[in-house]
Amino acid sequence: MEILLDTANIEQIKKYVDLYEITGVTSNPTIISREHAEFWPLLTEIKKIIGDRQLHVQVTGETWEEMVKEAECIQAKLGKETYIKVPTTEQGICAMKHLKATGSHVTATAVYTTQQAMMAASVGADYVAPYFNRMNNLNVDSRKVIGDMVQLFRIHNKPTKILAASFKNTEQVMDAFTVGAQAVTVSVDLLTTMVENAIIDFAVENFKKDWIKTYGDKKIYEL
Ligand code: E4P
């Protein structure tokens, strides 16, 4: 069960990468543009903060040749181990094939259908990233589509993992994990919401009151 942060915000990454068990950080051109920062310094800083954890960076080229060239540049600046996010289009699949032939890590992104996932897995993508909320917006049953991908990869012994993305609420995240996605990438807002609830605070507050009644403000290590 892998959790990645879907952000390029330095402060958020700094805070959450150590607070929780985080597998890595994902970005896309939209996420990067929100930071209004220089591209390479921003990614270099993210890489420095996350260390050995995964960094997924998306290419923007239109042809497979451009995508591969961008990928090589990303790897030269950020490390060969960087996951190259490639949109799952015709040109994207061809780029993935070339990148896998040179031992690159590949994440197939902009995935809306099971057939896209199948095409990406056929060229050896390490992850496919189905867009949960965007599928829902198209009246597509995201749970079923992701469940089908899980089944498809299992039947055909494909090592490709499902990195579900594009979430708007925690129910969608839990649905993705429940139907078998191995990984999710989520915003910090959603991650925080996972353990934020007035009823949890109420329970913790009651434990605290009962403790203070008996032991005052002493901590366990002070007794
Ligand atoms: C993952 O990396 C995707 O690009 C991202 O989760 C898309 O999210 P959105 O649908 O909220 O833009």
Side-chain angles (χ1 to χ4, degrees):
M1 202 183 267
E2 302 171 12
I3 299 174
L4 291 88
L5 298 177
D6 206 15
T7 180
N9 182 276
I10 297 291
E11 293 316 311
Q12 291 185 345
I13 295 170
K14 262 190 199 152
K15 178 170 175 192
Y16 285 93
V17 90
D18 283 327
L19 199 57
Y20 297 128
E21 190 58 43
I22 298 297
T23 301
V25 166
T26 55
S27 60
N28 63 32
T30 309
I31 289 171
I32 299 265
S33 69
R34 277 188 206 130
E35 301 310 310
H36 304 286
E38 291 293 323
F39 184 75
W40 292 117
L42 178 65
L43 285 166
T44 306
E45 178 69 9
I46 294 174
K47 173 79 191 156
K48 208 169 101 191
I49 299 166
I50 67 174
D52 289 339
R53 296 177 185 88
Q54 296 176 4
L55 177 60
H56 297 236
V57 181
Q58 191 164 326
V59 290
T60 63
E62 284 180 16
T63 63
W64 72 264
E65 290 95 336
E66 283 171 350
M67 293 181 202
V68 169
K69 204 169 164 187
E70 286 182 321
E72 286 165 356
C73 185
I74 292 169
Q75 290 168 334
K77 298 217 187 241
L78 302 169
K80 176 76 180 168
E81 67 285 1
T82 309
Y83 282 74
I84 308 299
K85 276 180 79 182
V86 182
T88 313
T89 57
E90 188 176 80
Q91 290 297 306
I93 296 287
C94 185
M96 290 178 208
K97 189 181 78 174
H98 280 84
L99 289 169
K100 286 312 297 177
T102 57
S104 303
H105 294 312
V106 169
T107 299
T109 194
V111 171
Y112 290 79
T113 64
T114 318
Q115 61 261 31
Q116 275 179 293
M118 182 273 288
M119 292 298 284
S122 75
V123 292
D126 299 278
Y127 288 98
V128 294
Y131 282 5
F132 202 110
N133 189 63
R134 293 195 201 196
M135 285 194 279
N136 273 5
N137 288 343
L138 296 170
N139 197 26
V140 171
D141 183 346
S142 311
R143 276 183 116 251
K144 178 169 184 329
V145 171
I146 295 176
D148 285 350
M149 290 175 190
V150 171
Q151 186 76 338
L152 186 72
F153 294 168
R154 192 176 292 148
I155 291 169
H156 295 279
N157 289 320
K158 287 290 174 196
T160 305
K161 291 188 196 175
I162 294 162
L163 167 58
S166 175
F167 294 110
K168 287 294 162 279
N169 59 58
T170 55
E171 184 186 18
Q172 294 177 336
V173 178
M174 296 318 296
D175 275 349
F177 270 140
T178 307
V179 295
Q182 291 86 357
V184 298
T185 184
V186 294
S187 67
V188 157
D189 283 355
L190 268 192
L191 205 55
T192 309
T193 310
M194 293 278 178
V195 284
E196 220 177 37
N197 191 320
I199 204 94
I200 305 173
D201 295 344
F202 180 70
V204 173
E205 204 40 50
N206 276 341
F207 291 137
K208 190 174 161 190
K209 278 186 198 149
D210 289 340
W211 175 269
I212 288 172
K213 261 190 251 158
T214 315
Y215 300 107
D217 59 1
K218 289 221 175 348
K219 303 288 173 231
I220 286 178
Y221 51 77
E222 293 168 330
L223 295 177

